[in-house]
Amino acid sequence: MDVKTVTQQELQDVARRLRAAGTRLITIVGYDGGDAIQLSYFFQPFPAGKAEVYRVVVPKSGGNEEVESITPIFPAAYIAENEASEMFGIKIKGIPGRFFLPDSVTAPLRRKAP
């Protein structure tokens, strides 16, 4: 499966294009790559077709630790974006507060510094 790495702005443009084409969002998967969190967005044309995967790299530090939500474009992204935010400790702009975890649990899937 071909994964295309895009910027946050490019992801917004891709999401709008795919939505207009009738594509659906399947899921969003997070991965802690050490110095950055990688969010992979899986889309599938409806009713059938080859899935498209787009990756956004979100740094863990340096002032750009957030990503723009695609929930306004794909409402189904709401739960997956909340999960990524809570599990990896990144900010998803446009997603309010906590959804899954109690306040006492912070970014359980984020790697600890050695």
Side-chain angles (χ1 to χ4, degrees):
M1 182 174 292
D2 185 32
V3 179
K4 300 169 194 88
T5 301
V6 296
T7 67
Q8 293 183 35
Q9 182 55 48
E10 289 170 332
L11 178 66
Q12 296 293 311
D13 295 340
V14 164
R16 283 196 254 332
R17 177 181 58 79
L18 292 174
R19 179 65 180 196
T23 301
R24 62 184 171 171
L25 174 70
I26 298 170
T27 193
I28 302 169
V29 176
Y31 169 75
D32 187 336
D35 59 344
I37 304 295
Q38 299 174 20
L39 295 178
S40 296
Y41 296 75
F42 291 76
F43 299 94
Q44 176 125 25
F46 185 78
K50 185 179 177 191
E52 294 183 38
V53 183
Y54 295 89
R55 177 185 302 132
V56 173
V57 178
V58 184
K60 287 184 174 179
S61 61
N64 191 24
E65 302 87 16
E66 59 187 15
V67 65
E68 189 75 33
S69 172
I70 65 165
T71 294
I73 303 164
F74 285 95
Y78 183 74
I79 292 174
E81 287 182 331
N82 270 289
E83 180 182 28
S85 175
E86 290 183 36
M87 295 298 182
F88 293 100
I90 59 173
K91 173 78 173 133
I92 308 283
K93 290 189 255 180
I95 297 295
R98 296 181 63 93
F99 190 73
F100 294 106
L101 300 175
D103 291 338
S104 61
V105 178
T106 305
L109 297 181
R110 192 172 196 151
R111 292 182 185 186
K112 307 297 185 246

